[in-house]
Amino acid sequence: MAGAGISTPSGIPDFRTPGSGLYDNLKKYNVPYPEAVFDIDYFAYNPRPFFTLAKELYPGTYKPNVVHYFMRLLHEKGLLLRCYTQNIDGLERMAGIPPKKLVEAHGTFSSASCHLCYTPFPAREARDCIMSGKSPHCKVCYGVVKPDIVFFGEDLPKRFAKFSKDFPKADLLIVMGTSLEIEPFADIVKSVRPNVPRLLINRDLVGPFKSKPLKSTDVVELGELCDVVRRFVTALNWQDDMDELMKSQKL
């Protein structure tokens, strides 16, 4: 399970960190309250703030970091059952994690559709419109098209339901870079079997990892995510593999 904290080392702001978080820096978008930029009703009224923000968030501006490549390495070694991510930045895909291994719980820029009739719309065409300052419109009902990012007021992708089969199969759950505050994503941390270890790699204690005493099968490693992941890679004797992987990505 991954959240915005895995992408902040790549330069992408998270949402809620005071001062530097996205919600603290939305005044320039002229929205009545920060969350409005991701509110489907407000989008229907005025899509411009989201489209302005989307220009900054579209994949391509930022690059994956060692945390994303650690997940890719888990996949390469046959250890990654699935990556459930809250992120919409596409860095997991850019790191080479196959789409079939991803559940992008809060949506993706890799597809687009009409916000009214949900007719699919070519993602590249939507991006080109948005980047040029135009609003893409549905060819069926002329409603405004948006990338398939999950807004407040919208259902999560159907693919999210895979957790009910995936989590009982897991023999380890790694939780990284998330506040575990947004439901229903936060709740699925409870879906592994009772005897399965859950490892939190994070800057702060979150969710069930705040419990005192800590559950005997829960493990916490606090700190800067990149530093912690590098220590894990070294402890696992995967340093050569990581170096080779990142070199192949021309980083």
Side-chain angles (χ1 to χ4, degrees):
M1 295 175 65
I6 73 166
S7 293
T8 52
S10 294
I12 301 176
D14 63 10
F15 287 86
R16 290 176 171 78
T17 297
S20 63
L22 187 64
Y23 284 154
D24 268 6
N25 291 279
L26 287 176
K27 293 178 182 176
K28 60 184 175 181
Y29 298 113
N30 195 28
V31 289
Y33 53 95
E35 291 84 354
V37 76
F38 291 112
D39 186 289
I40 192 61
D41 292 330
Y42 186 80
F43 177 85
Y45 165 71
N46 179 14
R48 299 311 310 164
F50 171 73
F51 287 151
T52 304
L53 176 63
K55 290 182 183 181
E56 299 181 31
L57 296 179
Y58 256 109
T61 305
Y62 303 95
K63 293 184 178 181
N65 60 61
V66 69
V67 183
H68 301 95
Y69 285 109
F70 175 64
M71 293 191 292
R72 163 77 182 276
L73 203 53
L74 291 174
H75 163 65
E76 296 292 337
K77 292 182 176 293
L79 298 172
L80 181 67
L81 173 61
R82 205 87 58 199
C83 169
Y84 284 73
T85 179
Q86 294 174 287
N87 297 333
I88 59 175
D89 52 46
L91 294 185
E92 294 92 354
R93 289 174 180 250
M94 287 182 65
I97 299 172
K100 67 180 181 180
K101 289 287 184 176
L102 288 172
V103 174
E104 293 161 310
H106 293 167
T108 175
F109 279 101
S110 65
S111 59
S113 57
C114 174
H115 89 284
L116 288 178
C117 71
Y118 307 111
T119 298
F121 189 90
R124 182 175 292 276
E125 187 177 338
R127 176 186 173 131
D128 290 346
C129 280
I130 292 168
M131 288 299 189
S132 64
K134 301 173 185 175
S135 296
H137 286 275
C138 177
K139 295 175 173 62
V140 175
C141 74
Y142 206 68
V144 180
V145 167
K146 72 174 183 64
D148 289 331
I149 305 302
V150 178
F151 279 29
F152 296 112
E154 293 188 304
D155 293 332
L156 268 58
K158 292 180 180 179
R159 187 169 168 77
F160 181 72
K162 291 180 74 71
F163 83 86
S164 63
K165 294 184 178 179
D166 282 345
F167 277 56
K169 294 178 185 176
D171 54 15
L172 170 67
L173 175 63
I174 303 176
V175 182
M176 298 191 290
T178 173
S179 64
L180 288 183
E181 290 183 357
I182 304 299
E183 301 290 356
F185 186 88
D187 204 47
I188 65 175
V189 72
K190 305 171 186 173
S191 300
V192 292
R193 287 168 287 130
N195 62 333
V196 168
R198 299 183 299 186
L199 167 63
L200 175 71
I201 303 176
N202 219 26
R203 292 180 66 177
D204 304 295
L205 294 172
V206 295
F209 299 96
K210 292 179 180 177
S211 299
K212 293 182 179 179
L214 195 65
K215 186 180 174 185
S216 62
T217 49
D218 286 345
V219 179
V220 170
E221 193 71 25
L222 297 183
E224 295 297 330
L225 268 66
C226 290
D227 294 340
V228 175
V229 164
R230 287 190 185 99
R231 290 205 304 272
F232 269 87
V233 168
T234 300
L236 290 163
N237 292 317
W238 289 358
Q239 189 60 58
D240 289 345
D241 296 325
M242 178 64 84
D243 291 344
E244 187 64 31
L245 177 59
M246 295 183 74
K247 190 184 300 181
S248 72
Q249 300 294 316
K250 297 181 180 178
L251 291 180

